[in-house]
Amino acid sequence: RGRCCHVENNLQFFPDYERIYTSKKYLKTVLSKNDVYEWFPVLYAYRKTLFEKEMFDESIRFFEDVDFVYRIILKAEKLFVIKDSIYQYRIGRDGQLTHVSKELIKNSISVTKKNIKLVNVTIVNKKMKKLLNGNFVRCYFWSIIMINYLEEKEQKEILLLLKKNKCLMKYALNKKDRFAKILINVLGVFITAKLLFVRSKFREKTNLVHIP
């Protein structure tokens, strides 16, 4: 029946190459070892039949891959992991996300809510549910940092949205997200956003490689 073929990923841990996984076993393997797993569609080669009744939500402009790819993987009966890269993905000059906008962050939060709601209804296995929701909620914490790129008026609007959806934080799984959750509960969303933004900029600086 339906199959996905894993091509290549920015994983800290690869599943065994040249091995067939069930879709659920594959997801449990990569999500339990990679708390920053990202749902890039280009990481997979797909059987055409997987797209029957499963398409991108055209109402979502950003984060449609996060909304879509995991559903396709779960729909696949089997997933085969290969070592060789069979195609390449060209990134634009500044990557695909060249501008942080209010709409971008709104999509991030709406997709997070949609995915978690769907997983809670359709996934029975508790470990799988925990891993998927822990991955999806990272978009919420990412949004907290990204509001620093918005104009003051837009910041206020998104801050209200983030406060309204603080309940999503209960799905925080990795250490960074759990720490951010503590900060938000103690200091509030706005101050936490500033602190996390400064921290991210500091890390960017310290990770720079200087070429003479």
Side-chain angles (χ1 to χ4, degrees):
R1 296 181 184 177
R3 284 191 181 185
C4 279
C5 176
H6 173 112
V7 180
E8 186 177 353
N9 203 344
N10 57 336
L11 300 178
Q12 300 165 7
F13 166 81
F14 276 98
D16 293 338
Y17 289 120
E18 307 301 326
R19 175 181 170 184
I20 296 176
Y21 287 82
T22 64
S23 57
K24 291 181 179 178
K25 177 65 176 176
Y26 170 80
L27 284 176
K28 281 183 181 178
T29 302
V30 295
L31 291 175
S32 61
K33 299 293 183 180
N34 298 270
D35 57 8
V36 294
Y37 183 79
E38 296 174 320
W39 305 95
F40 297 130
V42 295
L43 298 178
Y44 302 92
Y46 308 86
R47 178 167 286 184
K48 185 178 178 181
T49 52
L50 288 171
F51 291 88
E52 294 175 359
K53 299 181 181 179
E54 290 285 355
M55 295 299 290
F56 280 116
D57 185 342
E58 294 182 5
S59 67
I60 302 173
R61 185 178 176 189
F62 304 104
F63 291 92
E64 69 280 1
D65 46 357
V66 181
D67 170 68
F68 173 74
V69 173
Y70 85 98
R71 289 190 280 114
I72 288 292
I73 295 175
L74 285 172
K75 187 177 178 181
E77 184 178 291
K78 296 177 182 177
L79 192 145
F80 185 65
V81 181
I82 64 175
K83 188 173 184 178
D84 298 330
S85 297
I86 60 175
Y87 59 84
Q88 294 181 334
Y89 177 54
R90 177 177 290 179
I91 300 176
R93 288 174 300 174
D94 300 312
Q96 294 305 100
L97 295 179
T98 57
H99 177 66
V100 177
S101 65
K102 182 175 69 173
E103 183 183 5
L104 176 72
I105 297 177
K106 280 186 172 182
N107 276 187
S108 169
I109 297 170
S110 65
V111 167
T112 299
K113 290 170 63 179
K114 178 183 176 183
N115 284 354
I116 288 176
K117 182 179 180 180
L118 184 62
V119 164
N120 285 341
V121 171
T122 60
I123 304 296
V124 176
N125 185 280
K126 289 183 178 180
K127 183 177 180 181
M128 175 69 77
K129 189 180 294 189
K130 183 178 180 180
L131 288 171
L132 282 169
N133 287 340
N135 178 277
F136 294 145
V137 81
R138 294 188 64 251
C139 287
Y140 175 86
F141 293 103
W142 172 88
S143 298
I144 290 171
I145 298 174
M146 292 300 106
I147 63 173
N148 289 279
Y149 291 101
L150 300 179
E151 298 293 333
E152 185 177 349
K153 185 178 179 181
E154 292 182 331
Q155 272 192 15
K156 290 179 179 179
E157 182 180 344
I158 297 301
L159 277 169
L160 288 174
L161 183 64
L162 288 167
K163 290 175 182 177
K164 183 180 177 181
N165 289 283
K166 280 175 64 177
C167 58
L168 293 171
M169 295 194 304
K170 68 181 180 182
Y171 298 105
L173 194 57
N174 68 30
K175 291 180 180 178
K176 292 178 183 177
D177 291 346
R178 291 202 301 266
F179 178 66
K181 176 184 174 181
I182 293 170
L183 287 179
I184 290 167
N185 286 333
V186 174
L187 303 174
V189 176
F190 181 73
I191 295 176
T192 300
K194 295 297 181 185
L195 289 174
L196 294 180
F197 181 71
V198 170
R199 179 178 176 272
S200 68
K201 286 299 179 183
F202 176 76
R203 291 189 67 183
E204 281 179 17
K205 268 191 172 183
T206 55
N207 289 335
L208 285 176
V209 177
H210 298 283
I211 302 174

